[in-house]
Amino acid sequence: MIGLIKKELMLLTIGGKSILLVLVVFLAIFLSSGSGEILSMVAVIMSLMLSLTLFAYDTQSKWDCYATVLPVGPKELVGARYIVVGMIWTASIIIALIFRIGLTLLPNATVGTDFAQIVMESLLPALAIAVVLAIALPLMYKFGVEKGRIFLFIVCIIPSIFIQTFLPRMGSMPEISLNTLMIILAVAGVLAVPISLWLSVRIYGNKDQFA
Amino acid sequence: MAHCVEVDSLSKHYRDFLLDAVSFVVPEGTVMGLVGENGAGKSTVIRLILGAIKRDAGKVKLFGTEWETRVPNAIKDQIGVVFDDCYFPVSLSPNQLGWTLSSIYRQWDSILFNQLLNRFDVPPDKKIKELSRGNKMKLSIVCALSHRPKLLVLDEPTGGLDPVVRTEVLDMFQTFMEDERHSIIFSSHITTDLERIADYVTFIHKGKIILSETKDDLLDRYGLFKGPRDQIEHIEKGDFVSVRVNRYGLEALSSDKEHTMRTYPQLICDQASIDDILYHLTSDQSRTREDVAL
Protein backbone atom coordinates (compact mmCIF):
# COMPACT_ATOMS: atom_id res chain seq x y z
CA MET A 1 0.00 0.00 0.00
CA ILE A 2 2.92 2.36 0.67
CA GLY A 3 3.88 2.23 -3.00
CA LEU A 4 0.36 3.20 -4.01
CA ILE A 5 0.34 6.11 -1.56
CA LYS A 6 3.73 7.21 -2.93
CA LYS A 7 2.28 7.23 -6.45
CA GLU A 8 -0.74 9.32 -5.38
CA LEU A 9 1.42 11.82 -3.52
CA MET A 10 3.80 12.22 -6.45
CA LEU A 11 0.88 12.85 -8.80
CA LEU A 12 -0.51 15.36 -6.29
CA THR A 13 2.72 17.30 -6.17
CA ILE A 14 2.62 17.56 -9.96
CA GLY A 15 -1.09 18.32 -10.36
CA GLY A 16 -1.47 20.20 -7.12
CA LYS A 17 0.72 23.07 -8.28
CA SER A 18 -2.15 24.77 -10.13
CA ILE A 19 -4.49 24.28 -7.16
CA LEU A 20 -1.84 25.77 -4.87
CA LEU A 21 -1.57 28.74 -7.22
CA VAL A 22 -5.34 29.34 -6.96
CA LEU A 23 -5.08 29.11 -3.16
CA VAL A 24 -2.28 31.69 -3.15
CA VAL A 25 -4.40 34.06 -5.30
CA PHE A 26 -7.32 33.72 -2.88
CA LEU A 27 -5.00 34.25 0.05
CA ALA A 28 -3.63 37.43 -1.50
CA ILE A 29 -7.19 38.73 -1.92
CA PHE A 30 -8.07 37.91 1.69
CA LEU A 31 -4.83 39.37 3.04
CA SER A 32 -5.39 42.65 1.21
CA SER A 33 -9.00 42.90 2.41
CA GLY A 34 -8.34 41.60 5.91
CA SER A 35 -11.41 39.36 5.79
CA GLY A 36 -11.39 35.60 5.21
CA GLU A 37 -14.52 33.92 6.51
CA ILE A 38 -14.89 31.84 3.36
CA LEU A 39 -11.21 30.82 3.27
CA SER A 40 -12.09 27.53 4.99
CA MET A 41 -14.70 26.85 2.34
CA VAL A 42 -12.21 27.58 -0.46
CA ALA A 43 -9.61 25.24 1.07
CA VAL A 44 -11.93 22.28 1.54
CA ILE A 45 -13.54 22.67 -1.88
CA MET A 46 -10.04 22.53 -3.30
CA SER A 47 -9.43 19.35 -1.33
CA LEU A 48 -12.49 17.87 -3.06
CA MET A 49 -11.20 18.98 -6.47
CA LEU A 50 -7.75 17.54 -5.81
CA SER A 51 -9.23 14.24 -4.67
CA LEU A 52 -11.28 13.92 -7.85
CA THR A 53 -8.22 14.86 -9.92
CA LEU A 54 -6.54 11.65 -8.68
CA PHE A 55 -9.25 9.66 -10.46
CA ALA A 56 -8.72 11.71 -13.62
CA TYR A 57 -4.99 10.83 -13.59
CA ASP A 58 -5.76 7.12 -13.32
CA THR A 59 -8.32 7.31 -16.12
CA GLN A 60 -5.90 9.19 -18.36
CA SER A 61 -3.16 6.55 -17.99
CA LYS A 62 -5.46 3.48 -17.64
CA TRP A 63 -3.59 2.77 -14.41
CA ASP A 64 -6.44 0.59 -13.13
CA CYS A 65 -5.78 -1.87 -15.97
CA TYR A 66 -2.16 -2.16 -14.90
CA ALA A 67 -3.15 -2.37 -11.23
CA THR A 68 -5.02 -5.63 -11.94
CA VAL A 69 -1.69 -7.44 -12.29
CA LEU A 70 0.11 -5.83 -9.35
CA PRO A 71 0.51 -7.88 -6.16
CA VAL A 72 -2.12 -5.79 -4.39
CA GLY A 73 -5.86 -6.30 -4.08
CA PRO A 74 -8.85 -3.93 -4.29
CA LYS A 75 -8.65 -3.28 -0.52
CA GLU A 76 -5.12 -1.90 -0.82
CA LEU A 77 -5.81 0.00 -4.05
CA VAL A 78 -8.96 1.66 -2.76
CA GLY A 79 -7.60 1.96 0.78
CA ALA A 80 -4.55 3.88 -0.46
CA ARG A 81 -6.82 6.31 -2.31
CA TYR A 82 -8.93 6.87 0.83
CA ILE A 83 -5.80 7.45 2.93
CA VAL A 84 -4.49 10.05 0.47
CA VAL A 85 -7.89 11.74 0.22
CA GLY A 86 -7.94 11.83 4.03
CA MET A 87 -4.47 13.41 3.98
CA ILE A 88 -5.61 16.06 1.50
CA TRP A 89 -8.72 16.76 3.58
CA THR A 90 -6.71 17.07 6.80
CA ALA A 91 -4.15 19.31 5.10
CA SER A 92 -6.95 21.58 3.84
CA ILE A 93 -8.26 22.03 7.42
CA ILE A 94 -4.76 22.78 8.75
CA ILE A 95 -4.05 25.26 5.94
CA ALA A 96 -7.41 26.96 6.49
CA LEU A 97 -6.81 27.17 10.26
CA ILE A 98 -3.29 28.59 9.87
CA PHE A 99 -4.46 31.24 7.41
CA ARG A 100 -7.54 32.11 9.47
CA ILE A 101 -5.42 32.55 12.60
CA GLY A 102 -2.87 34.50 10.55
CA LEU A 103 -5.59 36.80 9.31
CA THR A 104 -6.57 37.75 12.86
CA LEU A 105 -3.03 39.07 13.41
CA LEU A 106 -3.27 41.51 10.52
CA PRO A 107 -3.74 45.19 11.46
CA ASN A 108 -6.65 45.54 8.99
CA ALA A 109 -8.29 42.29 10.16
CA THR A 110 -12.09 42.26 10.03
CA VAL A 111 -12.41 38.63 11.14
CA GLY A 112 -13.19 37.66 14.72
CA THR A 113 -10.38 36.60 17.05
CA ASP A 114 -12.38 34.03 19.01
CA PHE A 115 -10.34 30.84 18.59
CA ALA A 116 -13.28 28.49 19.20
CA GLN A 117 -15.26 30.36 16.54
CA ILE A 118 -12.36 30.09 14.07
CA VAL A 119 -12.06 26.35 14.66
CA MET A 120 -15.78 25.87 14.23
CA GLU A 121 -15.90 27.93 11.04
CA SER A 122 -13.03 25.87 9.64
CA LEU A 123 -14.39 22.48 10.69
CA LEU A 124 -17.97 22.99 9.56
CA PRO A 125 -17.29 23.12 5.79
CA ALA A 126 -14.61 20.42 6.20
CA LEU A 127 -17.13 18.03 7.77
CA ALA A 128 -19.64 18.82 5.03
CA ILE A 129 -17.00 18.06 2.38
CA ALA A 130 -16.10 14.82 4.18
CA VAL A 131 -19.68 13.67 3.68
CA VAL A 132 -19.59 14.80 0.03
CA LEU A 133 -16.30 12.90 -0.45
CA ALA A 134 -17.82 9.78 1.13
CA ILE A 135 -20.55 9.97 -1.51
CA ALA A 136 -18.22 11.03 -4.34
CA LEU A 137 -15.59 8.28 -4.12
CA PRO A 138 -17.86 5.26 -4.72
CA LEU A 139 -19.52 7.23 -7.53
CA MET A 140 -16.11 7.79 -9.15
CA TYR A 141 -15.26 4.10 -8.85
CA LYS A 142 -18.63 3.07 -10.25
CA PHE A 143 -19.06 5.50 -13.12
CA GLY A 144 -15.58 6.84 -13.79
CA VAL A 145 -14.50 10.41 -13.40
CA GLU A 146 -16.56 11.92 -16.25
CA LYS A 147 -19.95 10.40 -15.46
CA GLY A 148 -19.16 10.31 -11.74
CA ARG A 149 -18.92 14.11 -11.58
CA ILE A 150 -22.38 14.43 -13.13
CA PHE A 151 -23.85 11.94 -10.67
CA LEU A 152 -22.12 13.74 -7.81
CA PHE A 153 -23.60 17.03 -8.95
CA ILE A 154 -27.06 15.44 -9.04
CA VAL A 155 -26.61 13.84 -5.62
CA CYS A 156 -25.47 17.15 -4.10
CA ILE A 157 -28.10 19.31 -5.78
CA ILE A 158 -31.11 17.15 -4.80
CA PRO A 159 -30.97 18.03 -1.05
CA SER A 160 -30.65 21.75 -1.89
CA ILE A 161 -33.71 21.58 -4.18
CA PHE A 162 -35.61 19.66 -1.51
CA ILE A 163 -34.74 22.18 1.20
CA GLN A 164 -35.54 25.20 -0.96
CA THR A 165 -38.72 23.82 -2.54
CA PHE A 166 -40.46 21.56 -0.10
CA LEU A 167 -39.36 22.51 3.43
CA PRO A 168 -40.88 26.03 3.36
CA ARG A 169 -44.24 24.46 2.40
CA MET A 170 -44.04 22.15 5.42
CA GLY A 171 -44.12 25.07 7.83
CA SER A 172 -41.46 26.99 9.65
CA MET A 173 -37.87 25.86 9.24
CA PRO A 174 -36.37 24.40 12.43
CA GLU A 175 -33.61 26.51 13.92
CA ILE A 176 -30.32 24.56 14.04
CA SER A 177 -27.38 25.94 15.94
CA LEU A 178 -23.86 25.70 14.52
CA ASN A 179 -22.96 23.27 17.31
CA THR A 180 -25.84 20.97 16.47
CA LEU A 181 -25.05 21.18 12.75
CA MET A 182 -21.44 20.29 13.46
CA ILE A 183 -22.45 17.28 15.55
CA ILE A 184 -24.86 16.12 12.82
CA LEU A 185 -22.16 16.45 10.14
CA ALA A 186 -19.52 14.77 12.33
CA VAL A 187 -21.81 11.78 12.99
CA ALA A 188 -22.77 11.65 9.30
CA GLY A 189 -19.08 11.71 8.33
CA VAL A 190 -18.09 9.01 10.84
CA LEU A 191 -20.87 6.77 9.55
CA ALA A 192 -20.50 7.62 5.87
CA VAL A 193 -16.74 7.09 5.45
CA PRO A 194 -16.58 3.37 6.42
CA ILE A 195 -19.70 2.63 4.38
CA SER A 196 -18.19 4.53 1.47
CA LEU A 197 -14.91 2.59 1.76
CA TRP A 198 -16.74 -0.75 1.88
CA LEU A 199 -18.83 0.21 -1.15
CA SER A 200 -15.81 1.42 -3.12
CA VAL A 201 -13.86 -1.79 -2.47
CA ARG A 202 -16.82 -3.87 -3.64
CA ILE A 203 -17.37 -1.74 -6.74
CA TYR A 204 -13.67 -1.76 -7.62
CA GLY A 205 -13.32 -5.51 -7.02
CA ASN A 206 -16.26 -6.33 -9.30
CA LYS A 207 -15.38 -3.93 -12.07
CA ASP A 208 -13.90 -5.11 -15.38
CA GLN A 209 -11.11 -2.56 -15.74
CA PHE A 210 -10.58 -3.48 -19.39
CA ALA A 211 -14.23 -2.96 -20.41
CA MET B 1 8.39 -31.32 -16.75
CA ALA B 2 6.47 -29.04 -14.36
CA HIS B 3 3.92 -26.68 -15.81
CA CYS B 4 4.21 -23.01 -15.14
CA VAL B 5 0.71 -22.28 -16.45
CA GLU B 6 -2.17 -24.72 -16.89
CA VAL B 7 -5.35 -23.51 -18.51
CA ASP B 8 -8.31 -25.89 -18.59
CA SER B 9 -11.62 -25.24 -20.39
CA LEU B 10 -11.35 -21.51 -19.81
CA SER B 11 -14.44 -19.63 -20.99
CA LYS B 12 -15.55 -16.04 -21.05
CA HIS B 13 -18.69 -14.73 -22.63
CA TYR B 14 -19.09 -11.18 -23.90
CA ARG B 15 -22.08 -9.80 -25.77
CA ASP B 16 -20.37 -10.26 -29.13
CA PHE B 17 -17.59 -12.72 -28.35
CA LEU B 18 -17.18 -16.12 -26.74
CA LEU B 19 -13.90 -17.54 -25.55
CA ASP B 20 -14.82 -21.17 -25.74
CA ALA B 21 -13.24 -23.78 -23.44
CA VAL B 22 -9.62 -22.86 -24.07
CA SER B 23 -7.06 -25.35 -22.73
CA PHE B 24 -3.28 -25.43 -22.95
CA VAL B 25 -0.21 -25.72 -20.78
CA VAL B 26 3.06 -23.80 -20.64
CA PRO B 27 5.85 -26.07 -19.43
CA GLU B 28 8.42 -24.46 -17.15
CA GLY B 29 11.43 -23.15 -19.05
CA THR B 30 9.59 -22.62 -22.33
CA VAL B 31 8.16 -19.79 -24.41
CA MET B 32 4.54 -20.13 -25.50
CA GLY B 33 3.48 -17.99 -28.44
CA LEU B 34 -0.18 -17.09 -28.75
CA VAL B 35 -1.13 -16.35 -32.33
CA GLY B 36 -4.40 -15.25 -33.85
CA GLU B 37 -6.02 -12.51 -35.86
CA ASN B 38 -7.38 -9.31 -34.29
CA GLY B 39 -10.24 -10.10 -31.92
CA ALA B 40 -9.40 -13.82 -31.83
CA GLY B 41 -9.23 -13.78 -28.02
CA LYS B 42 -5.48 -13.64 -27.29
CA SER B 43 -5.70 -10.68 -24.91
CA THR B 44 -8.77 -12.16 -23.22
CA VAL B 45 -6.85 -15.38 -22.55
CA ILE B 46 -3.93 -13.43 -21.11
CA ARG B 47 -6.19 -11.30 -18.87
CA LEU B 48 -8.01 -14.40 -17.64
CA ILE B 49 -4.74 -16.16 -16.81
CA LEU B 50 -3.64 -13.11 -14.82
CA GLY B 51 -6.99 -12.75 -13.07
CA ALA B 52 -7.35 -9.26 -14.51
CA ILE B 53 -10.88 -10.16 -15.62
CA LYS B 54 -13.29 -12.74 -14.22
CA ARG B 55 -13.78 -16.03 -16.00
CA ASP B 56 -17.17 -17.61 -16.55
CA ALA B 57 -15.88 -21.19 -16.43
CA GLY B 58 -12.71 -23.23 -16.41
CA LYS B 59 -9.60 -23.50 -14.29
CA VAL B 60 -6.24 -21.75 -14.22
CA LYS B 61 -3.19 -22.97 -12.36
CA LEU B 62 -0.12 -20.76 -11.96
CA PHE B 63 3.04 -22.46 -10.67
CA GLY B 64 0.87 -25.44 -9.71
CA THR B 65 -1.53 -23.37 -7.61
CA GLU B 66 -5.15 -23.17 -8.67
CA TRP B 67 -6.94 -19.96 -7.83
CA GLU B 68 -10.63 -19.16 -7.87
CA THR B 69 -11.52 -15.48 -7.81
CA ARG B 70 -8.22 -13.65 -7.34
CA VAL B 71 -4.59 -14.53 -8.05
CA PRO B 72 -2.76 -14.62 -4.69
CA ASN B 73 -0.34 -11.70 -4.28
CA ALA B 74 2.56 -14.10 -3.67
CA ILE B 75 1.99 -15.51 -7.17
CA LYS B 76 1.53 -12.07 -8.76
CA ASP B 77 4.91 -11.20 -7.27
CA GLN B 78 6.45 -13.84 -9.53
CA ILE B 79 4.84 -12.59 -12.74
CA GLY B 80 6.03 -9.74 -14.94
CA VAL B 81 3.42 -8.33 -17.30
CA VAL B 82 3.73 -6.20 -20.41
CA PHE B 83 0.51 -4.99 -22.00
CA ASP B 84 0.15 -3.77 -25.56
CA ASP B 85 0.06 -0.19 -24.30
CA CYS B 86 1.80 1.75 -21.55
CA TYR B 87 -0.55 1.99 -18.55
CA PHE B 88 1.75 3.95 -16.25
CA PRO B 89 0.85 7.39 -14.85
CA VAL B 90 2.04 9.61 -17.67
CA SER B 91 3.03 12.52 -15.44
CA LEU B 92 5.62 10.43 -13.61
CA SER B 93 9.18 9.81 -14.75
CA PRO B 94 10.63 6.28 -15.01
CA ASN B 95 12.60 6.95 -11.83
CA GLN B 96 9.46 8.00 -9.93
CA LEU B 97 7.64 4.96 -11.29
CA GLY B 98 10.46 2.70 -10.12
CA TRP B 99 10.32 4.30 -6.68
CA THR B 100 6.59 3.53 -6.54
CA LEU B 101 6.91 -0.06 -7.75
CA SER B 102 9.80 -0.72 -5.35
CA SER B 103 7.27 -0.55 -2.50
CA ILE B 104 4.70 -2.71 -4.29
CA TYR B 105 6.82 -5.70 -5.38
CA ARG B 106 8.54 -7.52 -2.54
CA GLN B 107 11.51 -8.55 -4.66
CA TRP B 108 11.96 -5.29 -6.56
CA ASP B 109 15.61 -4.79 -7.52
CA SER B 110 16.30 -1.05 -7.88
CA ILE B 111 19.85 -1.66 -9.11
CA LEU B 112 18.59 -3.96 -11.85
CA PHE B 113 15.89 -1.42 -12.74
CA ASN B 114 18.49 1.33 -13.21
CA GLN B 115 20.80 -1.00 -15.14
CA LEU B 116 17.99 -1.98 -17.51
CA LEU B 117 16.92 1.66 -18.03
CA ASN B 118 20.52 2.44 -18.86
CA ARG B 119 20.94 -0.56 -21.17
CA PHE B 120 17.82 0.36 -23.12
CA ASP B 121 18.59 4.08 -23.20
CA VAL B 122 15.32 4.99 -21.50
CA PRO B 123 15.67 8.53 -20.07
CA PRO B 124 15.14 8.06 -16.33
CA ASP B 125 13.98 11.61 -15.53
CA LYS B 126 11.82 12.40 -18.52
CA LYS B 127 8.05 12.28 -18.01
CA ILE B 128 6.49 9.11 -19.39
CA LYS B 129 4.15 11.14 -21.61
CA GLU B 130 7.21 12.61 -23.31
CA LEU B 131 8.74 9.21 -24.13
CA SER B 132 8.51 7.72 -27.62
CA ARG B 133 6.33 4.64 -28.19
CA GLY B 134 9.47 2.49 -28.31
CA ASN B 135 10.78 3.89 -25.02
CA LYS B 136 7.40 3.45 -23.33
CA MET B 137 7.35 -0.19 -24.37
CA LYS B 138 10.94 -0.66 -23.21
CA LEU B 139 9.99 0.92 -19.87
CA SER B 140 7.09 -1.56 -19.56
CA ILE B 141 9.52 -4.41 -20.18
CA VAL B 142 12.06 -3.00 -17.72
CA CYS B 143 9.35 -2.77 -15.05
CA ALA B 144 8.18 -6.31 -15.81
CA LEU B 145 11.73 -7.63 -15.33
CA SER B 146 12.88 -5.60 -12.32
CA HIS B 147 11.19 -7.71 -9.66
CA ARG B 148 12.92 -10.80 -11.04
CA PRO B 149 9.79 -12.71 -12.09
CA LYS B 150 9.71 -16.37 -13.05
CA LEU B 151 7.00 -15.87 -15.64
CA LEU B 152 6.71 -13.09 -18.20
CA VAL B 153 3.30 -12.49 -19.74
CA LEU B 154 3.57 -10.31 -22.82
CA ASP B 155 0.56 -9.05 -24.73
CA GLU B 156 1.76 -7.74 -28.10
CA PRO B 157 4.99 -6.33 -26.63
CA THR B 158 6.62 -5.71 -29.99
CA GLY B 159 3.66 -4.12 -31.75
CA GLY B 160 4.50 -0.70 -33.17
CA LEU B 161 8.22 -1.03 -32.49
CA ASP B 162 10.80 -0.49 -35.19
CA PRO B 163 12.97 -3.50 -36.18
CA VAL B 164 16.00 -2.29 -34.19
CA VAL B 165 14.08 -1.93 -30.93
CA ARG B 166 12.20 -5.18 -31.61
CA THR B 167 15.49 -7.02 -31.95
CA GLU B 168 16.74 -5.47 -28.68
CA VAL B 169 13.55 -6.49 -26.91
CA LEU B 170 13.68 -10.05 -28.25
CA ASP B 171 17.33 -10.30 -27.20
CA MET B 172 16.28 -9.35 -23.70
CA PHE B 173 13.61 -12.05 -23.62
CA GLN B 174 16.19 -14.57 -24.80
CA THR B 175 18.50 -13.47 -22.00
CA PHE B 176 15.61 -13.90 -19.55
CA MET B 177 15.10 -17.46 -20.82
CA GLU B 178 18.71 -18.39 -20.06
CA ASP B 179 17.45 -19.32 -16.59
CA GLU B 180 15.68 -22.63 -17.19
CA ARG B 181 13.10 -21.94 -14.44
CA HIS B 182 11.80 -18.96 -16.42
CA SER B 183 8.85 -19.08 -18.81
CA ILE B 184 7.15 -16.66 -21.19
CA ILE B 185 3.66 -16.36 -22.64
CA PHE B 186 3.92 -14.10 -25.65
CA SER B 187 1.05 -12.97 -27.84
CA SER B 188 1.93 -11.32 -31.10
CA HIS B 189 0.80 -10.58 -34.61
CA ILE B 190 4.42 -10.47 -35.67
CA THR B 191 4.89 -14.16 -36.21
CA THR B 192 8.55 -13.80 -37.17
CA ASP B 193 9.16 -12.78 -33.53
CA LEU B 194 7.49 -15.97 -32.38
CA GLU B 195 9.48 -18.04 -34.87
CA ARG B 196 12.57 -16.60 -33.27
CA ILE B 197 11.83 -17.21 -29.61
CA ALA B 198 8.79 -19.50 -29.16
CA ASP B 199 9.07 -23.16 -28.19
CA TYR B 200 5.32 -23.77 -28.38
CA VAL B 201 2.73 -22.11 -30.57
CA THR B 202 -0.99 -21.88 -29.81
CA PHE B 203 -3.35 -20.66 -32.53
CA ILE B 204 -6.56 -18.99 -31.38
CA HIS B 205 -9.32 -18.36 -33.88
CA LYS B 206 -12.71 -16.83 -33.01
CA GLY B 207 -12.30 -17.71 -29.34
CA LYS B 208 -11.24 -21.31 -29.87
CA ILE B 209 -7.87 -23.00 -29.90
CA ILE B 210 -7.36 -24.63 -33.25
CA LEU B 211 -3.82 -25.84 -32.67
CA SER B 212 -1.28 -25.97 -29.83
CA GLU B 213 2.03 -27.74 -30.26
CA THR B 214 5.77 -27.25 -30.34
CA LYS B 215 7.01 -24.82 -32.94
CA ASP B 216 9.51 -27.33 -34.34
CA ASP B 217 6.83 -30.01 -34.82
CA LEU B 218 4.59 -27.46 -36.44
CA LEU B 219 7.20 -26.25 -38.90
CA ASP B 220 8.33 -29.84 -39.60
CA ARG B 221 4.83 -31.15 -40.19
CA TYR B 222 3.30 -28.38 -42.26
CA GLY B 223 4.30 -27.69 -45.86
CA LEU B 224 3.22 -25.11 -48.39
CA PHE B 225 2.66 -26.69 -51.80
CA LYS B 226 2.72 -24.69 -55.01
CA GLY B 227 1.96 -25.49 -58.62
CA PRO B 228 0.30 -24.18 -61.78
CA ARG B 229 -3.42 -23.31 -61.72
CA ASP B 230 -4.46 -26.36 -63.69
CA GLN B 231 -3.22 -28.62 -60.87
CA ILE B 232 -6.42 -27.78 -59.03
CA GLU B 233 -8.09 -30.43 -61.22
CA HIS B 234 -5.63 -33.10 -60.06
CA ILE B 235 -5.59 -32.68 -56.33
CA GLU B 236 -7.85 -34.04 -53.63
CA LYS B 237 -8.81 -31.02 -51.54
CA GLY B 238 -9.26 -33.20 -48.47
CA ASP B 239 -5.48 -33.77 -48.48
CA PHE B 240 -4.91 -30.12 -47.67
CA VAL B 241 -5.81 -27.78 -44.86
CA SER B 242 -6.79 -25.15 -47.40
CA VAL B 243 -6.19 -24.42 -51.06
CA ARG B 244 -5.78 -21.00 -52.57
CA VAL B 245 -5.78 -20.25 -56.28
CA ASN B 246 -4.65 -16.98 -57.78
CA ARG B 247 -3.65 -15.79 -61.22
CA TYR B 248 -0.09 -17.08 -60.72
CA GLY B 249 -1.01 -20.57 -59.63
CA LEU B 250 -2.10 -22.78 -56.78
CA GLU B 251 -0.98 -22.66 -53.16
CA ALA B 252 -2.06 -25.29 -50.65
CA LEU B 253 -1.15 -26.03 -47.05
CA SER B 254 -0.67 -29.61 -45.95
CA SER B 255 -0.44 -30.75 -42.34
CA ASP B 256 1.48 -33.87 -43.40
CA LYS B 257 4.29 -32.60 -45.55
CA GLU B 258 6.03 -35.96 -46.13
CA HIS B 259 2.88 -37.76 -47.20
CA THR B 260 1.79 -34.93 -49.50
CA MET B 261 5.21 -34.80 -51.13
CA ARG B 262 4.92 -38.47 -51.99
CA THR B 263 1.31 -38.13 -53.21
CA TYR B 264 1.84 -34.98 -55.28
CA PRO B 265 5.42 -35.06 -56.62
CA GLN B 266 4.38 -32.57 -59.32
CA LEU B 267 3.88 -29.84 -56.65
CA ILE B 268 6.74 -27.85 -55.18
CA CYS B 269 6.98 -28.01 -51.39
CA ASP B 270 8.12 -24.88 -49.52
CA GLN B 271 8.72 -24.47 -45.82
CA ALA B 272 5.49 -23.09 -44.32
CA SER B 273 5.96 -20.13 -41.99
CA ILE B 274 3.74 -19.51 -38.96
CA ASP B 275 2.14 -16.73 -41.00
CA ASP B 276 1.29 -19.19 -43.79
CA ILE B 277 -0.11 -21.72 -41.34
CA LEU B 278 -2.14 -19.03 -39.56
CA TYR B 279 -3.51 -17.73 -42.84
CA HIS B 280 -4.54 -21.13 -44.13
CA LEU B 281 -5.87 -22.42 -40.82
CA THR B 282 -8.06 -19.39 -40.30
CA SER B 283 -9.42 -19.32 -43.83
CA ASP B 284 -12.50 -21.49 -44.38
CA GLN B 285 -11.24 -25.02 -43.89
CA SER B 286 -10.78 -27.25 -46.95
CA ARG B 287 -12.30 -24.62 -49.21
CA THR B 288 -10.70 -23.47 -52.40
CA ARG B 289 -10.26 -19.69 -52.40
CA GLU B 290 -10.18 -17.74 -55.61
CA ASP B 291 -8.53 -14.34 -55.57
CA VAL B 292 -10.67 -11.38 -56.48
CA ALA B 293 -9.41 -9.60 -59.59
CA LEU B 294 -8.61 -5.95 -58.82
Side-chain angles (χ1 to χ4, degrees), chain B residues 156-177:
Chain B
E156 305 275 358
T158 52
L161 299 182
D162 65 61
V164 177
V165 177
R166 258 175 52 214
T167 306
E168 272 184 85
V169 165
L170 292 175
D171 283 347
M172 185 182 267
F173 295 151
Q174 282 177 324
T175 309
F176 174 79
M177 288 307 295

Side-chain angles (χ1 to χ4, degrees), chain B residues 27 30-32 198-203 211-222 274 277:
Chain B
T30 64
V31 179
M32 166 66 82
D199 300 302
Y200 289 80
V201 178
T202 295
F203 286 87
L211 190 149
S212 184
E213 60 183 87
T214 68
K215 180 188 70 183
D216 292 342
D217 281 352
L218 194 72
L219 297 180
D220 279 352
R221 210 154 59 78
Y222 281 85
I274 291 178
I277 299 170

Side-chain angles (χ1 to χ4, degrees), chain A residues 1-8 10-11 13-14 17 57-58 60-74 76 204-211, chain B residues 12 14 47 50-54 70 73-74 76-77 79 81 83 85-92 96-97 99-106 127 129 140 143-144:
Chain A
M1 193 186 271
I2 292 169
L4 299 168
I5 294 171
K6 277 182 183 177
K7 172 216 140 213
E8 307 273 57
M10 273 188 290
L11 288 173
T13 55
I14 296 160
K17 282 173 191 164
Y57 283 130
D58 283 357
Q60 183 191 19
S61 61
K62 296 184 185 169
W63 167 260
D64 289 319
C65 294
Y66 188 70
T68 57
V69 299
L70 292 174
V72 284
E76 289 95 335
Y204 192 87
N206 288 323
K207 195 171 183 180
D208 181 351
Q209 303 294 351
F210 291 88
Chain B
K12 177 77 181 174
Y14 289 107
R47 289 167 193 170
L50 295 167
I53 52 175
K54 287 183 177 172
R70 197 159 292 285
N73 288 346
K76 283 184 173 179
D77 242 324
I79 304 173
V81 182
F83 287 113
D85 206 349
C86 182
Y87 294 153
F88 300 131
V90 292
S91 301
L92 299 186
Q96 289 171 320
L97 180 68
W99 188 59
T100 296
L101 294 176
S102 67
S103 301
I104 292 176
Y105 284 102
R106 272 182 280 177
K127 283 185 180 174
K129 64 182 166 196
S140 295
C143 289

Side-chain angles (χ1 to χ4, degrees), chain B residues 234-285:
Chain B
H234 308 290
I235 64 166
E236 180 62 48
K237 285 172 195 160
D239 287 343
F240 297 92
V241 172
S242 82
V243 180
R244 182 182 171 211
V245 183
N246 60 30
R247 71 178 71 173
Y248 306 110
L250 168 151
E251 184 187 275
L253 183 79
S254 164
S255 58
D256 188 349
K257 186 165 66 180
E258 299 299 325
H259 172 74
T260 310
M261 279 167 76
R262 285 194 299 273
T263 313
Y264 301 102
Q266 72 274 25
L267 297 178
I268 298 162
C269 179
D270 282 347
Q271 174 68 54
S273 65
I274 291 178
D275 254 348
D276 296 325
I277 299 170
L278 176 67
Y279 173 75
H280 282 274
L281 280 176
T282 55
S283 41
D284 286 346
Q285 309 261 318

Side-chain angles (χ1 to χ4, degrees), chain A:
Chain A
M1 193 186 271
I2 292 169
L4 299 168
I5 294 171
K6 277 182 183 177
K7 172 216 140 213
E8 307 273 57
L9 292 178
M10 273 188 290
L11 288 173
L12 272 181
T13 55
I14 296 160
K17 282 173 191 164
S18 50
I19 302 277
L20 201 65
L21 185 73
V22 175
L23 200 62
V24 169
V25 171
F26 270 105
L27 188 67
I29 294 167
F30 293 135
L31 282 175
S32 58
S33 67
S35 67
E37 284 82 357
I38 63 158
L39 189 64
S40 313
M41 186 61 89
V42 171
V44 291
I45 286 174
M46 282 186 174
S47 78
L48 174 68
M49 285 167 63
L50 262 182
S51 302
L52 301 188
T53 305
L54 290 173
F55 285 89
Y57 283 130
D58 283 357
T59 306
Q60 183 191 19
S61 61
K62 296 184 185 169
W63 167 260
D64 289 319
C65 294
Y66 188 70
T68 57
V69 299
L70 292 174
V72 284
K75 276 184 191 169
E76 289 95 335
L77 284 157
V78 174
R81 173 64 47 86
Y82 271 71
I83 288 171
V84 173
V85 168
M87 288 161 80
I88 298 169
W89 179 78
T90 310
S92 75
I93 299 172
I94 293 168
I95 290 169
L97 268 175
I98 290 170
F99 288 146
R100 281 294 305 274
I101 293 166
L103 277 176
T104 62
L105 304 176
L106 288 175
N108 61 339
T110 60
V111 292
T113 54
D114 180 6
F115 185 71
Q117 184 71 16
I118 290 171
V119 170
M120 192 174 279
E121 282 177 10
S122 300
L123 276 183
L124 207 60
L127 288 171
I129 288 291
V131 176
V132 173
L133 277 168
I135 297 166
L137 300 189
L139 287 174
M140 295 298 141
Y141 280 116
K142 178 71 183 172
F143 300 107
V145 72
E146 293 299 327
K147 285 183 189 167
R149 276 178 180 152
I150 297 166
F151 278 101
L152 179 64
F153 175 73
I154 294 167
V155 168
C156 292
I157 210 80
I158 284 172
S160 315
I161 293 169
F162 179 79
I163 289 166
Q164 291 207 344
T165 315
F166 295 105
L167 273 189
R169 293 181 194 172
M170 292 162 69
S172 59
M173 292 272 283
E175 285 285 325
I176 302 174
S177 71
L178 278 183
N179 279 336
T180 314
L181 190 59
M182 205 156 97
I183 290 165
I184 291 170
L185 285 173
V187 171
V190 167
L191 290 174
V193 170
I195 294 169
S196 167
L197 177 61
W198 177 80
L199 260 178
S200 294
V201 170
R202 275 185 69 89
I203 291 166
Y204 192 87
N206 288 323
K207 195 171 183 180
D208 181 351
Q209 303 294 351
F210 291 88

